[in-house]
Amino acid sequence: MIKERKHIILSLLKNIRNNDDQRSFEELFRLLYPGLLNFCAQYINDKEKAEEIVSDVFTKLWLNRKETNHIQNPETYLFISVKNHSINYLKQYSSFKLTFVEDAGEFQLINTHNPEKELERKELVFKMNQAI
């Protein structure tokens, strides 16, 4: 069953790459989307953002379909892509940073959210909007 699934997925990717086959892409999407979404949601904890990340990964797959010759296992490739996009999202939007604290001599998670800086940013945006 696993070998059959892998063969089907490889065949779909080949049709997508060689024939620009949208039906094969839709089938690949329907086959893998639910698992990729659940996987992404474990990282992100935000269903809408997880849906966006998985959709972005599929969009990039379609846009770069001609360069997919190197992909031996498309399912694994897509899961790794979703994981990487999820981690990048968390790095970009997380207010917690891993920082070395010299006094403690160890790394600690520090909340870098600064309400004062946020207020300054909002005031600056307000002034810019007034100027415009």
Side-chain angles (χ1 to χ4, degrees), residues 4 11 25 36 39-41 44-45 50 53 61 65-66 74 84-85 89 91-92 94 98 101 105 107 110 114 118 125:
E4 183 179 314
S11 177
F25 183 77
L36 290 169
F39 180 70
C40 185
I44 301 299
N45 293 324
I53 288 171
L61 177 68
R65 64 191 173 276
K66 297 298 184 188
N84 291 339
H85 278 75
Y89 171 81
K91 283 181 186 176
Q92 183 176 3
S94 177
L98 188 61
V101 179
F107 285 93
I110 305 294
N114 185 334
E118 182 67 21
V125 168

Side-chain angles (χ1 to χ4, degrees), residues 47-93:
K47 187 178 183 222
E48 288 178 8
K49 188 60 189 173
E51 289 172 347
E52 185 179 325
I53 288 171
V54 174
S55 295
D56 286 348
V57 167
F58 274 104
T59 300
K60 287 180 182 180
L61 177 68
W62 177 259
L63 293 174
N64 298 316
R65 64 191 173 276
K66 297 298 184 188
E67 292 87 40
T68 59
N69 288 330
H70 69 283
I71 299 174
Q72 300 283 325
N73 188 334
E75 187 169 14
T76 301
Y77 175 85
L78 289 170
F79 271 93
I80 291 171
S81 294
V82 166
K83 179 190 82 167
N84 291 339
H85 278 75
S86 299
I87 290 171
N88 289 339
Y89 171 81
L90 291 173
K91 283 181 186 176
Q92 183 176 3
Y93 294 104

Side-chain angles (χ1 to χ4, degrees), residues 14 66 103 107 120 129-130:
K14 184 179 176 184
K66 297 298 184 188
D103 294 341
F107 285 93
E120 288 175 12
N129 285 336
Q130 280 183 329

Side-chain angles (χ1 to χ4, degrees), residues 96-100 107-110 112:
F96 288 91
K97 305 290 182 212
L98 188 61
T99 306
F100 185 76
F107 285 93
Q108 294 180 357
L109 278 178
I110 305 294
T112 59

